[in-house]
Amino acid sequence: MTRTAPSRDEEVSAAPAPTRLPVTRLVLAVIVLLSGVTMLLGYENKARCVGPEFDESGRSAPDYDIRPDRDVCYSDIQHLWIGRDIDKHVFPYVHGSITPEGQLVGGTVEYPVLTGLLIWAGAIGADTDGGYLLGSALLMAPFGLLTAYLLGRLTRWRALVWSLGPPIVLYAFHNWDLPVVACAVAAVFVMHGWRTQRSIAERGTIASVLLALGFAFKLYPGAFVLPLALYVLTASRPGRLDWWAAVRVALAAVVTVVLVNLPFAVAGYAGWRASFSFQSLRKVDLTTNSIWFWGFRPDSGPEDPEFQATMDWLSPTLVLLSFAVAVAIGWWRWKRTGVYPWVGVSAAMLCGFLLLHKVHSPQYVLWLLPFFALLRVPWALIAGYLVADFAMGIGIFRWFHTLRTGEGFGIYDGFAAQALVIGVWGRAALLVVLFVVFLRTTDALTEDTAAALSAKRTPAAPGAPPG
């Protein structure tokens, strides 16, 4: 049968799906099912802090002030039932503000607007912190399952690093992070797993919208728009730079962020702005788990204004510098290989943020976990990071408990402080290693897509039968 030959532009711009081994429905079912089981264990872990009684405000009793740290079942979800007007079912931001002392009032929460909506929605029908934890878990669990499914489609059995990862048990319902992770992974899937004839430029625009939605949940996926734009710039029209496609990627992200935030900014500017002000005013202290607090003790406390002022500019400056280094190395690799490794560059940027930001919340490991599946990171390195993270995640809460009781909180006095220090510095050292590994390792997803494009552009040999 005779076919009409495609134009050269169509040959170059069409982005066929990578030619990896097919993923069977059984494999995907197992990966998703195991993810569900692990998240159920994660919920049960946090639910140990619920009840058995509740006071007039719906707070678990009788010993809520002791149990979360002692039993390592603390979650921000349950804790913030009180203090952000969540228990009063106040719609977020619209009537909110921040006091001169930095306290959020009137329904404002310290997170971007889509997370604020999720926080509010989880409280619908709840009248206790236990009901709120359950409602929030039910809202977020589909995002965790979606992440498992997408990773399974992209990486087959490597997706088990997400589905069976200890961080899911510890942190799936610690904070509101599963939706943002799903957005970031979905962006990668659109670029490298979606079986469609849409061009790389079109895929890049859609992926950019997903990253922008992630930005509106938690900010970090917004950083990935730059490497994505550079990938589209170099891959959309191989052999020449497609500037308009790259600009369109950036514009799609900006427009999405504006459209999502604008209604809240108009309806209640003070409350919307207060969420950003809260984060900028946050000080380095013992709750931030960062290298800055532990590396500069005893001068790193919030009572030292000179140190805090230095952190306010030094930390973001170093984070941005790490971003620039990652992006530049990615450009250098493109010059050598012809493929811009945008997934690896994004992972390295995330390492720079996790290492150098003045705040490191325990659940941030969920942001990093998918990259262990997406990129060919040595299993020994993955295991080492998970062990260090586990030590920090357990140690920090047990240490808080010893601080409360006044017993054994010194580094030579017990396991909690030792585990915490091992976790903080072990994690920091491994983030440095991962920064390098992510930038050096094979980015199989982008390279497979590039190979498929190259094969599609190769003309048929003389005398070969028509397609």
Side-chain angles (χ1 to χ4, degrees):
M1 183 175 69
T2 303
R3 294 184 184 178
T4 302
S7 69
R8 183 177 185 278
D9 280 350
E10 288 174 332
E11 286 184 315
V12 173
S13 64
T19 56
R20 293 184 296 275
L21 292 174
V23 183
T24 66
R25 292 181 179 179
L26 178 60
V27 170
L28 287 174
V30 171
I31 289 170
V32 173
L33 177 62
L34 291 175
S35 176
V37 171
T38 308
M39 283 193 293
L40 181 60
L41 294 175
Y43 172 77
E44 291 297 329
N45 177 48
K46 297 302 184 184
R48 292 184 297 117
C49 277
V50 172
E53 304 169 5
F54 301 93
D55 63 20
E56 62 278 2
S57 67
R59 172 64 79 204
S60 290
D63 55 353
Y64 178 78
D65 57 334
I66 298 174
R67 253 189 305 162
D69 293 334
R70 183 194 65 198
D71 298 344
V72 195
C73 54
Y74 171 87
S75 74
D76 289 333
I77 297 173
Q78 182 184 9
H79 186 71
L80 291 180
W81 169 252
I82 304 295
R84 298 292 187 271
D85 289 332
I86 297 171
D87 58 320
K88 301 173 184 176
H89 305 281
V90 176
F91 193 80
Y93 309 108
V94 175
H95 306 290
S97 62
I98 188 169
T99 67
E101 296 76 29
Q103 181 179 355
L104 296 171
V105 295
T108 290
V109 294
E110 57 265 55
Y111 304 105
V113 294
L114 290 186
T115 293
L117 283 178
L118 195 69
I119 289 171
W120 171 78
I124 295 175
D127 55 12
T128 67
D129 59 6
Y132 180 51
L133 177 65
L134 176 59
S136 299
L138 291 174
L139 279 178
M140 289 193 294
F143 292 100
L145 296 175
L146 176 61
T147 300
Y149 172 81
L150 295 176
L151 287 173
R153 288 283 303 273
L154 287 165
T155 71
R156 289 175 59 85
W157 292 116
R158 280 191 76 96
L160 291 178
V161 75
W162 170 268
S163 296
L164 295 179
I168 302 297
V169 177
L170 291 175
Y171 307 122
F173 306 114
H174 183 92
N175 198 283
W176 296 269
D177 290 87
L178 293 182
V180 65
V181 175
C183 286
V185 173
V188 178
F189 179 80
V190 163
M191 294 305 300
H192 303 296
W194 188 17
R195 294 188 176 276
T196 177
Q197 287 303 308
R198 290 182 181 272
S199 68
I200 283 182
E202 291 172 322
R203 291 184 184 212
T205 302
I206 297 169
S208 180
V209 170
L210 289 167
L211 292 176
L213 291 175
F215 179 88
F217 277 111
K218 296 285 183 78
L219 302 181
Y220 84 90
F224 304 162
V225 173
L226 177 56
L228 172 62
L230 292 175
Y231 173 69
V232 171
L233 172 70
T234 56
S236 181
R237 293 285 189 268
R240 57 193 174 104
L241 301 180
D242 192 343
W243 289 101
W244 167 238
V247 169
R248 192 168 67 179
V249 167
L251 286 176
V254 171
V255 170
T256 302
V257 169
V258 170
L259 289 177
V260 171
N261 282 272
L262 189 60
F264 294 91
V266 171
Y269 178 76
W272 172 79
R273 187 175 183 275
S275 63
F276 297 96
S277 300
F278 179 91
Q279 296 296 344
S280 65
L281 293 172
R282 188 169 182 184
K283 298 182 183 302
V284 174
D285 60 25
L286 59 86
T287 69
T288 57
N289 305 324
S290 68
I291 61 172
W292 305 114
F293 174 75
W294 288 98
F296 290 91
R297 295 180 72 197
D299 301 321
S300 54
E303 66 282 351
D304 188 334
E306 184 177 353
F307 174 81
Q308 297 296 333
T310 300
M311 286 299 99
D312 287 342
W313 68 263
L314 180 60
S315 173
T317 298
L318 292 177
V319 168
L320 292 176
L321 180 61
S322 73
F323 287 2
V325 170
V327 168
I329 292 176
W331 191 260
W332 175 76
R333 281 193 60 181
W334 169 71
K335 291 276 192 179
R336 292 190 62 196
T337 66
V339 178
Y340 189 87
W342 83 277
V343 178
V345 170
S346 297
M349 293 170 76
L350 180 57
C351 287
F353 176 85
L354 296 179
L355 175 66
L356 299 168
H357 189 48
K358 64 181 180 179
V359 176
H360 182 88
S361 294
Q363 79 277 3
Y364 288 175
V365 65
L366 295 177
W367 305 358
L368 193 61
L369 206 55
F371 288 110
F372 290 155
L374 293 169
L375 298 165
R376 293 172 179 171
V377 181
W379 287 109
L381 190 55
I382 295 173
Y385 191 88
L386 294 180
V387 168
D389 179 79
F390 184 83
M392 186 182 72
I394 301 297
I396 185 65
F397 294 108
R398 289 296 302 173
W399 189 61
F400 286 161
H401 178 66
T402 61
L403 289 176
R404 185 183 298 274
T405 61
E407 298 179 2
F409 57 82
I411 188 65
Y412 300 109
D413 296 331
F415 167 78
Q418 293 167 6
L420 176 57
V421 170
I422 290 171
V424 168
W425 293 112
R427 177 190 63 85
L430 288 167
L431 282 172
V432 174
V433 174
L434 285 168
F435 183 90
V436 176
V437 169
F438 283 142
L439 291 172
R440 294 185 60 185
T441 192
T442 301
D443 189 339
L445 298 173
T446 53
E447 291 184 4
D448 281 357
T449 300
L453 278 170
S454 177
K456 184 164 183 144
R457 292 196 307 274
T458 302

